[in-house]
């Protein structure tokens, strides 16, 4: 003997798989959405690691933190040819802004330009970062003289 399908039975039958799919999806992603504080902490950690490598003149290690490393037309060899700046001291001072996948970090640095015999210059810069594949990457400026080009 078949029972007539009630509206309640019909809704429960359709809703149960939908709720299960949502729960499984949350479990697969860890069940948590990245908070603004976590995002800021991840950016600060990547920025500090990057600038530590740069200060130690470990450009090969720093390459993995660069947006250029994600560009198929860029090469590590080309990246290593850039430079000429010796960083005497670097301090990541904090995140100035995060806007979606773009961010700015305040960085104080003391640097020298040995080829030009310029020593111990100090500056605070707004260092640009971009999120690629879920990780923050440093945006290399093309020119210190013309940063927008």
């Amino acid at each position: 003997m078949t029972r007539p399908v009630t509206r309640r039975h019909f809704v429960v039958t359709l809703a149960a798989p939908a709720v299960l799919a949502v729960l499984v999806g949350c479990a697969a992603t860890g069940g948590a959405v990245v908070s603004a504080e976590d995002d800021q902490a991840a950016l600060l950690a990547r920025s500090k690691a990057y600038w530590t490598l740069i200060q130690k003149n470990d450009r090969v290690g720093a390459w993995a933190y660069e947006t250029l490393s994600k560009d198929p037309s860029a090469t590590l060899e080309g990246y290593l040819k850039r430079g000429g700046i010796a960083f005497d001291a670097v301090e990541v001072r904090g995140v100035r802004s995060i806007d979606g996948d773009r961010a700015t970090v305040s960085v104080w640095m003391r640097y020298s330009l040995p080829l030009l015999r310029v020593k111990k210059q100090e500056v605070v810069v707004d260092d640009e970062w971009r999120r690629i594949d879920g990780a923050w990457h440093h945006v290399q400026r093309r020119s210190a003289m013309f940063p927008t080009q």
Side-chain angles (χ1 to χ4, degrees):
M1 191 174 198
T2 60
R3 291 185 354 195
V5 178
T6 63
R7 184 181 304 173
R8 180 175 177 210
H9 179 72
F10 183 72
V11 169
V12 169
T13 303
L14 290 179
V19 170
L20 182 60
V22 168
L23 291 175
V24 169
C26 287
T29 60
V33 176
V34 177
S35 71
E37 292 82 17
D38 291 342
D39 202 22
Q40 196 171 42
L43 174 57
L44 276 174
R46 292 269 302 174
S47 181
K48 287 177 181 179
Y50 168 79
W51 281 108
T52 297
L53 292 168
I54 291 295
Q55 186 177 357
K56 291 178 180 178
N57 202 26
D58 184 357
R59 308 279 291 169
V60 174
W63 171 249
Y65 291 82
E66 296 284 359
T67 55
L68 285 174
S69 70
K70 300 297 185 180
D71 181 351
S73 66
T75 64
L76 175 59
E77 181 181 351
Y79 173 72
L80 293 175
K81 287 181 181 178
R82 301 179 74 171
I85 301 174
F87 292 94
D88 305 316
V90 177
E91 179 185 306
V92 176
R93 294 205 167 157
V95 175
R96 293 191 40 87
S97 67
I98 296 178
D99 185 16
D101 289 337
R102 295 196 177 274
T104 304
V105 175
S106 180
V107 180
W108 169 86
M109 56 186 72
R110 186 173 55 239
Y111 66 93
S112 300
L113 304 168
L115 293 175
L116 300 176
R117 295 189 175 124
V118 174
K119 295 183 179 182
K120 304 213 184 278
Q121 300 296 303
E122 291 187 23
V123 67
V124 176
V125 297
D126 288 338
D127 196 35
E128 188 178 346
W129 288 74
R130 193 171 69 169
R131 188 185 353 242
I132 301 172
D133 298 330
W136 289 105
H137 289 78
H138 181 255
V139 176
Q140 184 74 35
R141 289 184 173 172
R142 298 222 184 257
S143 169
M145 297 292 286
F146 305 103
T148 60
Q149 296 184 12

